[in-house]
Amino acid sequence: MKRALITGVTGQDGSYLAEHLLSLGYEVHALVRRVALEDPAHRFTRIRHVMERVTLHAASLESYPSIFHVVSRNEFDECYHLAAQSFVAESFADGFSTMNTNINGTHYMLAALRELQPRCRFYFAGSSEMFGKVREVPQRETTSFHPRSPYGISKVAGFDLTRNYREAYGMFCVSGMLFNHESPRRGYEFVTRKITSTAAKIRAGLAPELWLGNLDAKRDWGHAKDYVRAMYLMLQQPEPDDYVVATGETHTVREFCERAFAEVGLDYQPYVRVDERLYRPAEVDLLVGDATKAREVLGWEPEYSFEGLITEMVREDLKALGGAETPAAPRAL
Ligand code: G4F
């Protein structure tokens, strides 16, 4: 039985990945913060259904000794390093902690594995934010980076560290350059969940409007469930390499609104308001990925469409409010 270590298991991707690995017969271990262990009711909502089957270890990405301690006492075949400060807007507010957690955390994981378990395969959660002010459309593995936020910069550093450990020490270290991926488990502050959860609330008469920033930003949105399969496949290859994971379709935030509100039987226009304070100091205007390499080498294919993703998210948000799955006639303004 293979043994995997996941960092960031309490997040959207970590929870889907834990499920996927468990379904494949893996023994799944995870690093979690001590503070999370003290408050499982709130911190483990996404992994509640698999918690009995996951071995949790208390450690902090800000502490090399705590990571070293866990890695020195357990042997792992694969390590999926997903934990990060992943909210781009927050990285503008506090670039220092984003850099500390994202860069040092990745470096500590790599250094501990190199020291104690150099044969453990390592996955780094890279991001399309590394492409930032894009140099070509669509973006592929060979596209150069131009990050536009402290978050994007921290991910470029993590990508470079991962590649350096592969090249300098011969370790099996890879990065997934994942484009935006969403689900009903997405945090509420990200634009997709903010839209689907608020559309559901407006439909139920529980919110009057939805305040957003840049409606013209374009993203390549896939489903997190599809994307964790790509992470797993990357670590099963004969040779380590980096891959873009994307749908190849791009949509504006406005289109996402249109579709999500239509799902609850409403026209988005009277409800969506723009607050310029929600604009970012430097925006990534257009992201669309070319996942040809992942499709050809990994045999990866996404199962969800843009429409299917939004339908699932809106329905889950309606369900959480106790609303009907299929909405009735629109509420008059
Ligand atoms: O949902 P977002 O906050 O995601 P963003 O910045 O694209 O980052 C996500 O995807 C990355 C992969 O490309 C990950 F690496 C990263 O960790 C994260 O998962 O914003 C999407 C777009 C942005 O252009 C933003 O300006 O939506 C725009 N937007 C417009 N109004 C808004 C809002 N974003 C948020 N969060 N909130 C708004 O009110």
Side-chain angles (χ1 to χ4, degrees), residues 226-227 229 246-247 295 300-304:
D226 282 335
Y227 286 36
R229 283 192 291 108
T247 69
R295 287 174 196 266
W300 176 80
E301 283 295 334
E303 287 174 3
Y304 281 81

Side-chain angles (χ1 to χ4, degrees), residues 86 88 127-128 151 180 186 189 191 194 213 217 219 280 283:
S86 64
V88 176
S127 163
S128 53
Y151 169 82
N180 295 51
R186 190 55 143 153
E189 70 274 37
V191 79
K194 186 171 173 184
R219 289 290 183 279
R280 295 180 180 169
E283 177 64 281

Side-chain angles (χ1 to χ4, degrees), residues 203-273:
R203 178 67 189 80
L206 299 172
E209 63 212 351
L210 167 61
W211 287 93
L212 291 174
N214 184 2
L215 299 183
D216 297 316
K218 288 182 163 175
R219 289 290 183 279
D220 178 332
W221 279 295
H223 197 298
K225 228 182 195 175
D226 282 335
Y227 286 36
V228 300
R229 283 192 291 108
M231 298 175 186
Y232 161 75
L233 289 169
M234 283 178 220
L235 291 195
Q236 314 312 312
Q237 300 311 303
E239 297 299 328
D241 206 350
D242 307 317
Y243 297 86
V244 160
V245 182
T247 69
E249 255 184 53
T250 191
H251 298 273
T252 59
V253 172
R254 189 187 307 281
E255 284 169 62
F256 198 103
C257 289
E258 198 175 344
R259 183 87 205 177
F261 276 76
E263 198 62 45
V264 297
L266 295 174
D267 171 9
Y268 79 98
Q269 292 181 80
Y271 298 101
V272 172
R273 313 244 187 284

Side-chain angles (χ1 to χ4, degrees), residues 57-166:
H57 304 274
S60 162
L61 278 188
E62 279 145 34
S63 155
Y64 181 70
S66 74
I67 292 169
F68 190 92
H69 180 83
V70 175
V71 178
S72 68
R73 279 165 177 72
N74 303 272
E75 279 211 5
F76 301 110
D77 300 291
E78 296 168 9
C79 172
Y80 296 86
H81 177 44
L82 314 182
Q85 192 301 97
S86 64
F87 190 40
V88 176
E90 168 61 21
S91 80
F92 284 108
D94 185 356
F96 293 95
S97 37
T98 301
M99 295 288 178
N100 280 340
T101 308
N102 295 4
I103 302 178
N104 291 341
T106 304
H107 201 180
Y108 295 159
M109 290 302 305
L110 283 164
L113 288 173
R114 179 191 166 212
E115 187 68 24
L116 301 162
Q117 299 185 43
R119 282 202 299 277
C120 174
R121 295 183 167 205
F122 180 83
Y123 171 86
F124 171 66
S127 163
S128 53
E129 279 292 308
M130 301 188 299
F131 297 118
K133 192 171 181 193
V134 299
R135 301 290 175 87
E136 62 176 336
V137 181
Q139 297 84 54
R140 47 181 71 92
E141 291 79 5
T142 49
T143 305
S144 50
F145 298 143
H146 186 145
R148 296 269 279 173
S149 63
Y151 169 82
I153 294 166
S154 76
K155 285 291 172 178
V156 172
F159 177 92
D160 283 338
L161 278 164
T162 303
R163 186 172 51 191
N164 190 241
Y165 270 69
R166 175 166 83 220

